[in-house]
Amino acid sequence: MRVRKRGPGQVLFWVMAFFLGIAAGLAALGFRAGIGAMESLLYGADDQNVFSAASEMPWFLLILIPATGGLVVGVILHKFTADARVRAVADVIEGAALRRGRVEFREGLASAAASLITLGSGGSSGREGPVVHLAATISTWMATRIDASGVTGRDLLGCAVAGAVSASFNAPLAGAIFAMEVVLRHYALHAFAPIAIASVMGTVVNRLYFGNVAEFTLPVFNTVAFYWEIPAFLILGLVCGLVALALMRSIFWTEDLFGSVQARLGFPRWLRPAIAGAMVGAIAIVAPQVIGIGYEVTTLALTGQMLLTEAILIAVAKVIAVSITLGGRMGGGIFSPALVVGALTGLAFGLIATSLIPAYSGSSTTYALAGMGAVSAAVLGAPVSTSLIVFELTGDWQIAIAVLAAVSTATAVASRFVNRSFFLSQLSRRGVPIAQGPQAYLLQLVGIMRITQRPGSPRALPRSVLEDLAADGMAIDAHALLKEALWRFKRSGASHLAVTTTGADGVQVVGCISHVEALQAFNQALAAIAAEEHS
């Protein structure tokens, strides 16, 4: 009862974070195992070898398998979501900002199933985004059970995300920072301890199953020719920023294209992922490297087992396949594809750079590692956590200076052309202005009925004055949000607006709001956010 009424105490919350981290880690582990089981069944290999297996399969199976997977995905999304869209990281960010730390539960479970089928059947996307949302559904269930406040709900959400990311990558540092940098979008001290606990437990789950091993094994020792190569890594960052921009823009363009073609031809929405799957399979006939998550391709790039032309062509094919997968609303996330494209871009750049000035150059694989971090950081809009993920994925902490140099310029370039990140750009396209900061999205959280003065209250205007305001058009619907109220005040110059409702008896005046009280409500909402972020 105390938890429901006053929220959990500090120690109790840490215990909750402990078990939430385990639950998120197990969800990530189960999701990964499910993908591996499907790939083994359909391709006879897991993601570490799936493209090698796919290259030996008949061409019609390469088309049939992802097309069938897409058809199943389409049916699931059609039945269990209102918009036939997979939920992922962007929806978790929206939940943190606008839904008191909650995400859609039913749609989240359906999205996890759809993404698992997408990736298991060869869709060209990533597993981390779906895992993050799946963990968020667990924290949503917990927050609902204890009737958590917005602050507590967001902290629980951060714990779940940290546990999922750390379990996915065997990266406890990156998991904790990712939750705060990308999802919560603040580094409040009160949230750090529980999020760190959950991240540690997610990593423990991963290591108990896989052992304490890095995701990618790098037999080549990466070195940097110190000061001489730093300008090259800065230039690599510029290139990676443009590549990241091309990846994001191509996904958005493909999504719009699918939408316009679907509207013009009138085919059912559940058929869209099947068409996308068939298209990805068609690409795989000539470039089987696009099948699946792409960790095998990433390993080949990081170990330098590709030629220049091969790296460039596969990077282009991967961008196209990812755009079709996500634009076709199959399922999956963007992070793993960004790693793949970044590693290929870095390797291609490194092969060119080291051939031009071999006497002052290190290994081309160093550029592949830096490129992997740079593209993914620019896509996610998360330079700190992405850099940590790269270090923890590879176990190579010796080239931090190269990775940070490339990451810095890549994020600077990409952020000038998108709304800070791929996720925030997705939200902006849906009309959710989180990228603009709390001063923009808080206006969508406050309904004007919270500040409406009913007739007879001390600060209410006389009913005759309210009737005159309504007759002169100085009125606003009772269901409107603070955003519309402030816009009307600014446009009209009025000090008060009548608040009305429309029913069977016509338009009825139910009260009024003042400009001063609307501004006070906005300031209070901003103050509450600031207090949470600095607590």
Side-chain angles (χ1 to χ4, degrees), residues 82-300:
D83 52 6
R85 177 181 60 82
V86 166
R87 272 55 175 171
V89 177
D91 301 277
V92 179
I93 296 173
E94 181 181 3
L98 303 182
R99 299 171 183 257
R100 300 171 65 239
R102 275 79 162 173
V103 297
E104 298 164 297
F105 191 82
R106 180 172 180 264
E107 291 83 351
L109 295 179
S111 295
S115 294
L116 191 152
I117 294 169
T118 293
L119 295 167
S121 61
S124 194
S125 54
R127 70 169 184 255
E128 295 75 26
V131 165
V132 165
H133 196 280
L134 180 59
T137 61
I138 298 174
S139 72
T140 295
W141 175 84
M142 183 178 288
T144 303
R145 290 282 295 176
I146 67 172
D147 194 21
S149 66
V151 175
T152 301
R154 282 186 284 272
D155 290 346
L156 288 171
L157 186 67
C159 292
V161 169
V165 172
S166 64
S168 296
F169 292 111
N170 187 19
L173 293 175
I177 300 301
F178 180 90
M180 304 184 81
E181 182 179 25
V182 175
V183 175
L184 298 184
R185 303 179 69 235
H186 66 68
Y187 292 93
L189 188 60
H190 80 271
F192 181 77
I195 286 175
I197 291 171
S199 185
V200 167
M201 296 316 300
T203 305
V204 169
V205 169
N206 176 287
R207 294 184 180 182
L208 287 175
Y209 189 83
F210 293 106
N212 186 18
V213 294
E215 188 73 43
F216 301 109
T217 302
L218 306 180
V220 178
F221 181 70
N222 293 305
T223 58
V224 182
F226 206 49
Y227 296 118
W228 296 109
E229 281 192 292
I230 298 304
F233 286 107
L234 292 172
I235 296 172
L236 171 63
L238 297 177
V239 173
C240 287
L242 295 175
V243 170
L245 179 63
L247 175 61
M248 291 184 280
R249 288 281 177 85
S250 65
I251 293 171
F252 296 144
W253 180 83
T254 306
E255 185 176 20
D256 293 339
L257 180 62
F258 263 105
S260 62
V261 171
Q262 181 180 348
R264 187 177 302 121
L265 299 181
F267 59 81
R269 64 182 191 175
W270 51 263
L271 191 60
R272 177 169 168 173
I275 296 172
M279 294 174 67
V280 171
I283 296 173
I285 295 174
V286 294
Q289 293 88 346
V290 304
I291 287 290
I293 299 172
Y295 281 169
E296 183 181 3
V297 177
T298 306
T299 300
L300 293 175

